[in-house]
Amino acid sequence: MENLGKLGVWSFVDYLKVDEAVEYARQLEEWGYSALWMPEVVGRDPFSMTAYMLANTSKLIFATGIANIYARDPMTMNAIQKTLAEIAPGRFILGIGVSHKNIVSDIRGHDYGKPVATMRNYLEQMGQSAYHSASKNSASPVVIAALRQNMLKLAAEKAAGAHPYFVTPEHTARARELMGPDALLCPEQKVLLETDPAKARAAARKHMAVYMALPNYQNNLKTLGFDESDFADGGSDRLVDAIVAWGDESVLRQRIQAHWDAGADHVCIQPLSVDGSMTPDKKVLELLAPVRP
C-alpha cells in the first residue's frame, strides 16, 4: 500500500462517542499520522464505524486491528473488504485474526479451531468467494494477526502481511526474518508519557492485565525468553518495560525507531493514559506527531 506511512495509531474508539471518534480521526490527519487501527471485541461493529469515518475524513487510512473471523463467514468478509475498497480506494486495510479461545467459545459461542489451519482455510475461501459489483477491481490489503512462526509464514504466503499485537522490537526482527522482505509488517506498540517508574508501571500493568491471561500472548512471549515468573503479580518489571514504552519523548521515539530498525514497515502506536482510562492520551500523540503543530 503505497500511501501507508511509517507511523499510525491504534485506539479503542468504542470509548469515544461517534462524533468524538470522527474528530479524533480528523485530528490524527492533521498531525500527519497515516492510519488509524481499530479493534473488534464486544463493542461497535468496526466496519460500520470505518465506513462512517471514511466518509467524514479525507486521507486517513482505516484498518481493523483486528476483525474476528468467527464473527463473519469468508464470503461476507470478502464482500466487506471489496465494498470498503470501492468506497474509499487506497484507504482501507482489512486486518483479521482468529482471536482467542475464551472470546470465540465463551463469549461468541463458536468452536475454536486450530488457529493456523482455520486461518488458512478462511483466506482460501475468501479468495474463492463470489462477489458482484459495478466496480470489478476493488481490492484492499489483507493482513492477519500473527505472532508465532507458522502464522507469520502464512501471513506472507496467503495475505499481504501481518499485524502483530502485544509484541517487542525483538519480535519484529523475528517476524521480518520469517516473512521475508516483501510482506507488510505492522506491529502495535504501547506508549505511555510518564517518567515516574512506579506510576508508569502501575498504569502499564492495568492496561496489560487482560492480555497477560491469554495463552496466545503468553506462548508468544515465552519464545522471546520470558517465563512463568514474568506473568505473575501483574507482570515483572522486565516484561512491563518490554511491552510498554514509557518515559519522555526521546524514550518513546527510541522504541518506535527500534521497530523500524528491526524491519517494521509501519508502527501503530497505542497511546495509553496514565489514569488507566481507555480513552487515548492525545498529549503523547501530539508530541510524537509526524507533523508537529
Side-chain angles (χ1 to χ4, degrees):
M1 186 172 245
E2 295 180 358
N3 56 340
L4 180 63
K6 295 181 66 176
L7 192 62
V9 175
W10 196 105
S11 291
F12 282 102
V13 297
D14 290 344
Y15 293 89
L16 300 173
K17 294 180 180 179
V18 172
D19 59 338
E20 293 174 338
V22 170
E23 288 304 312
Y24 178 58
R26 289 172 176 168
Q27 183 67 77
L28 296 181
E29 283 188 324
E30 291 180 14
W31 283 335
Y33 291 100
S34 65
L36 174 58
W37 296 72
M38 300 183 294
E40 175 181 39
V41 188
V42 292
R44 297 187 185 111
D45 172 65
F47 300 114
S48 301
M49 280 296 295
T50 294
Y52 183 73
M53 294 172 81
L54 281 167
N56 286 279
T57 52
S58 59
K59 59 184 178 181
L60 193 67
I61 293 169
F62 290 87
T64 47
I66 55 82
N68 193 329
I69 66 171
Y70 287 91
R72 302 158 194 89
D73 67 27
M75 186 172 182
T76 300
M77 193 73 84
N78 179 64
I80 290 169
Q81 175 204 8
K82 288 181 168 55
T83 300
L84 289 174
E86 183 178 356
I87 288 171
R91 294 185 58 203
F92 176 63
I93 296 174
L94 175 63
I96 57 176
V98 297
S99 189
H100 303 272
K101 189 175 187 298
N102 65 318
I103 295 175
V104 171
S105 298
D106 300 341
I107 297 176
R108 289 189 174 274
H110 301 294
D111 293 329
Y112 190 72
K114 293 182 177 180
V116 176
T118 299
M119 178 58 77
R120 180 182 293 276
N121 183 60
Y122 192 91
L123 290 169
E124 290 175 351
Q125 289 189 49
M126 276 186 66
Q128 297 166 2
S129 296
Y131 178 77
H132 301 285
S133 166
S135 177
K136 302 297 183 182
N137 299 315
S138 59
S140 61
V142 178
V143 297
I144 64 175
L147 294 174
R148 300 174 69 187
Q149 176 175 311
N150 290 341
M151 194 70 85
L152 287 166
K153 288 184 176 180
L154 181 65
E157 175 191 351
K158 292 291 186 179
H163 171 51
Y165 185 88
F166 208 68
V167 294
T168 66
E170 291 75 19
H171 180 274
T172 295
R174 178 179 297 178
R176 176 53 70 203
E177 181 180 359
L178 287 166
M179 295 197 304
D182 299 325
L184 193 62
L185 180 55
C186 306
E188 174 266 353
Q189 174 63 60
K190 297 172 181 20
V191 293
L192 180 64
L193 189 62
E194 175 56 64
T195 57
D196 181 274
K199 291 180 180 179
R201 288 175 177 143
R205 286 186 172 96
K206 184 172 183 179
H207 284 281
M208 290 171 59
V210 66
Y211 306 111
M212 293 281 291
L214 296 173
N216 291 8
Y217 292 127
Q218 286 195 11
N219 291 334
N220 179 58
L221 290 167
K222 288 175 181 177
T223 69
L224 297 171
F226 297 97
D227 57 37
E228 294 295 339
S229 65
D230 291 298
F231 307 134
D233 302 319
S236 66
D237 287 352
R238 180 173 78 116
L239 178 56
V240 169
D241 296 351
I243 293 294
V244 178
W246 59 266
D248 61 15
E249 178 184 357
S250 65
V251 173
L252 306 187
R253 289 190 180 277
Q254 287 171 15
R255 181 68 64 85
I256 296 167
Q257 187 64 51
H259 281 284
W260 288 333
D261 291 344
D265 297 295
H266 173 89
V267 178
C268 37
I269 55 174
Q270 182 177 174
L272 304 184
S273 297
V274 179
D275 64 6
S277 68
M278 296 301 291
T279 54
D281 184 357
K282 293 182 181 179
K283 291 182 296 184
V284 68
L285 291 175
E286 183 176 8
L287 192 65
L288 299 174
V291 178
R292 297 296 289 266

